[in-house]
Amino acid sequence: HTIGLATADLALHAPSQIAAAIKSRAGEKHFNVVISMTGQSGAAAARAAINNLLAQRVDGLIVNIPLQDEDAQSLMTLCQEVPVLFLDVSPQLDANSVIFDAGEGARLGVAHLLELGHREIALLAGPQSSVSARLRFDGWQQTLAQQQLRPVAVMEGDWSALSGYQQVARLLNEGARPGAILVANDQMALGALRAISEAGLRVPNDISVIGYDDTADSACFIPPLTTIRQDFRSLGKNSVERLVEMIYQPDAPTRSDRLPVSLVVRKTTA
Ligand code: IPT
């Protein structure tokens, strides 16, 4: 039996760790995994990746590419009888999915900063073409609004460390001095740490930083990163088990499973 994994850019840390976790759980269940990766965002690239896997006659598909509801719907039609499980879609979508709770992750990050007494908070969001980036951003804004707070600055990167570096370097060059920055992933947080250090400022004494993902390297950043943990091994395990169920019980009802996230406090917040 073969599972097809259609994935976002594997040069990014989170998708590569998710792919590794899927591969490892599939191996235990004696399933092969074939991978089709897209470097671009958008439905056309996702469609090409999925067509490529269908041509290899996979028994089921896991799709870890950010998709709008209507794009995910039309891709399900494309797959016909082959079961599809989505990992990066909105929780409202009527489809089989296993997704992390983005609202909860956003709330945990803001709550941690508020407890430390921060009020001047800047946001560094992921690319707004990504569903998860938008859900995290909306969650930050809503949680701040509940305290009658608004972000002191809003930035957007492309998930890469370099984009985080550039965005935060520009903010600091303009003279802004937020007390804390909420960052939508750990790679951009790594770039943010470099920009803050080059501006002659200290983390966390001058500026606190919170990441998102808790990818394997984040505990080794300087200083070790406070972040929102998404347990990618658990996502890999859950998604393979769900897909195998779907392959053997094609008539089971459609379900969206939510995986919890948690705050990991290290040394970048005070
Ligand atoms: C999401 C990561 O949090 C982010 O860092 C980036 O790598 C993105 O994937 C790439 O699409 S995790 C996803 C399962 C929501």
Side-chain angles (χ1 to χ4, degrees), residues 8 12 14-15 18 64 66 87-88 100 132 136 159 184-185 187 212-213 230 232 235:
L12 291 169
I18 293 166
N64 181 24
L87 307 189
D88 198 353
F100 288 110
S132 303
R136 291 171 202 174
W159 296 128
N185 79 338
Q187 290 187 263
Y212 203 111
D213 277 341
Q230 305 196 98
F232 296 126
L235 177 63

Side-chain angles (χ1 to χ4, degrees), residues 1-268:
H1 283 313
T2 302
I3 292 176
L5 170 62
T7 176
D9 196 352
L10 289 170
L12 291 169
H13 296 174
S16 75
Q17 291 187 15
I18 293 166
I22 288 173
K23 173 82 185 146
S24 133
R25 185 66 185 126
E28 289 166 8
K29 293 200 142 274
H30 308 290
F31 272 74
N32 286 321
V33 180
V34 292
I35 295 181
S36 183
M37 182 191 105
T38 161
Q40 294 126 312
S41 62
R47 177 175 291 262
I50 288 172
N51 269 323
N52 178 293
L53 294 169
L54 291 172
Q56 301 182 59
R57 308 212 158 275
V58 295
D59 298 290
L61 279 162
I62 298 177
V63 180
N64 181 24
I65 298 175
L67 290 167
Q68 315 279 9
D69 289 2
E70 52 285 6
D71 295 333
Q73 296 282 8
S74 73
L75 291 173
M76 283 195 293
T77 316
L78 175 73
C79 293
Q80 295 181 340
E81 301 300 297
V82 181
V84 197
L85 182 70
F86 294 100
L87 307 189
D88 198 353
V89 290
S90 117
Q92 269 85 47
L93 176 72
D94 180 24
N96 286 302
S97 62
V98 181
I99 48 183
F100 288 110
D101 192 334
E104 175 68 359
R107 198 191 58 73
L108 286 170
V110 175
H112 177 56
L113 292 180
L114 294 177
E115 269 165 34
L116 292 169
H118 288 287
R119 292 294 178 271
E120 312 252 295
I121 300 173
L123 307 180
L124 173 48
Q128 297 298 291
S129 58
S130 152
V131 187
S132 303
R134 288 202 305 272
L135 289 171
R136 291 171 202 174
F137 183 68
D138 293 347
W140 287 338
Q141 300 257 43
Q142 281 164 20
T143 315
L144 288 171
Q146 284 163 9
Q147 307 297 319
Q148 280 78 48
L149 289 174
R150 286 171 30 154
V152 295
V154 171
M155 299 165 279
E156 181 182 330
D158 67 2
W159 296 128
S160 72
L162 185 62
S163 73
Y165 169 70
Q166 288 166 339
Q167 290 295 317
V168 174
R170 202 185 58 198
L171 180 81
L172 298 176
N173 278 335
E174 287 166 358
R177 290 292 180 269
I181 310 180
L182 282 158
V183 187
N185 79 338
D186 288 0
Q187 290 187 263
M188 294 195 296
L190 176 62
L193 293 179
R194 176 179 160 198
I196 294 168
S197 150
E198 286 185 1
L201 300 165
R202 290 158 311 162
V203 175
N205 309 50
D206 300 313
I207 303 183
S208 286
V209 174
I210 302 196
Y212 203 111
D213 277 341
D214 197 25
T215 34
D217 296 344
S218 309
C220 294
F221 290 3
I222 307 173
L225 188 68
T226 295
T227 189
I228 304 300
R229 178 172 173 76
Q230 305 196 98
D231 186 338
F232 296 126
R233 289 214 70 80
S234 146
L235 177 63
K237 178 173 177 293
N238 272 274
S239 56
V240 168
E241 285 167 6
R242 263 299 290 289
L243 187 69
V244 169
E245 261 172 52
M246 287 160 57
I247 290 170
Y248 288 117
Q249 298 165 34
D251 298 327
T254 299
R255 196 171 90 224
S256 173
D257 290 342
R258 213 66 45 84
L259 297 181
V261 296
S262 57
L263 171 72
V264 179
V265 179
R266 295 203 182 94
K267 297 278 167 55
T268 55

